[in-house]
Amino acid sequence: MINSELGHVKTLKQFHAEIVRQQTEAHGKHYCDHHEVIKERMKECDSYMELGTHQGGTASAALLTKPKKIVLVDNDMSRYRKFLQPIAEEFCLKHKIILKEIEQDSTHLKSSGGPVDFLLIDSYHHPQHMSRELMTHQVNIKKYILAHDTSIINGRQNSSLYETLVRFCDQYPFKVIERNEVAEGYTLLERVS
């Protein structure tokens, strides 16, 4: 993924529009399709957490839905701090959103943000790493898990992350409710009772 140039944006809405524009221009028409899933599913959710915040593109999509709580996790938050952090903190203050920023490996227990409705996984794209993330966080996810890059990883067809999610669903109370295989793709899981 490219590092977008976002120094000129002033509002959250501008940030999201510009990062989507730049990411789409660099990676193709469907690269940011998962942003729409976040916006749609967050209508049913009060809280959001993401593993792999990087610059904050998907975080901005979630923030625009005005959840009550948002947790952002990355082992290096420097790109987030550079552009989105001041905009996000101002937006959260204005809309009374609890914002928790955690600079930590996403498999570590210290990366837990507590119970949330929606989890996005877009961190280190390796099956073993994703398995550890799922084990660490699944107990706290009340509704949805969305994973990006479940069809293409590093420019090559690779369904290993999707297969990891399927195995996870065999052991835990989640099911695959949507799989998008266009471009990098995404997979959406839902908790079942």
Side-chain angles (χ1 to χ4, degrees):
M1 153 185 19
I2 65 158
N3 285 319
S4 299
E5 180 48 54
L6 301 159
H8 61 287
V9 300
K10 303 293 181 220
T11 68
L12 185 63
K13 198 170 185 178
Q14 287 174 337
F15 179 95
H16 184 258
E18 185 61 16
I19 200 166
V20 167
R21 184 192 69 74
Q22 290 182 38
Q23 295 290 326
T24 300
E25 188 175 283
H27 302 293
K29 179 179 173 183
H30 296 284
Y31 185 79
C32 294
D33 285 356
H34 62 302
H35 290 230
E36 296 307 313
V37 176
I38 292 168
K39 290 180 201 174
E40 187 60 33
R41 296 295 174 158
M42 282 301 293
K43 292 175 184 175
E44 312 163 35
C45 300
D46 290 326
S47 50
Y48 173 89
M49 178 176 181
E50 72 176 41
L51 310 178
T53 300
H54 191 55
Q55 300 171 94
T58 48
S60 66
L63 278 164
L64 286 168
T65 69
K66 299 178 186 167
K68 292 180 182 175
K69 172 184 167 183
I70 187 162
V71 181
L72 306 176
V73 178
D74 203 300
N75 62 353
D76 178 3
M77 297 289 271
S78 59
R79 292 295 301 180
Y80 163 76
R81 283 193 293 270
K82 187 172 182 178
F83 299 119
L84 182 56
Q85 186 179 39
I87 295 168
E89 289 178 350
E90 181 181 333
F91 185 86
C92 289
L93 189 62
K94 180 180 178 183
H95 296 283
K96 297 180 174 61
I97 299 168
I98 297 166
L99 174 62
K100 190 172 183 181
E101 301 153 339
I102 303 172
E103 191 164 26
Q104 179 71 52
D105 181 296
S106 56
T107 65
H108 198 284
L109 288 175
K110 288 183 180 178
S111 70
S112 174
V116 292
D117 292 323
F118 191 110
L119 172 69
L120 170 73
I121 301 176
D122 193 11
S123 55
Y124 177 54
H125 300 316
H126 189 277
Q128 290 175 335
H129 186 82
M130 178 184 271
S131 289
R132 289 192 301 270
E133 288 174 322
L134 290 164
M135 295 301 296
T136 300
H137 298 285
Q138 60 84 22
V139 69
N140 286 321
I141 310 310
K142 296 189 277 184
K143 292 185 180 180
Y144 300 107
I145 299 173
L146 175 64
H148 190 224
D149 299 307
T150 57
S151 292
I152 293 177
I153 302 172
N154 299 323
R156 293 194 172 125
Q157 282 300 128
N158 186 332
S159 62
S160 62
L161 294 181
Y162 172 74
E163 292 159 12
T164 299
L165 293 165
V166 170
R167 284 192 299 276
F168 168 74
C169 289
D170 288 341
Q171 298 175 1
Y172 294 93
F174 286 87
K175 66 179 179 179
V176 175
I177 60 169
E178 185 178 352
R179 181 177 186 205
N180 180 309
E181 297 181 71
V182 178
E184 284 70 17
Y186 61 80
T187 302
L188 181 64
L189 310 182
E190 182 176 35
R191 182 176 280 279
V192 292
S193 0

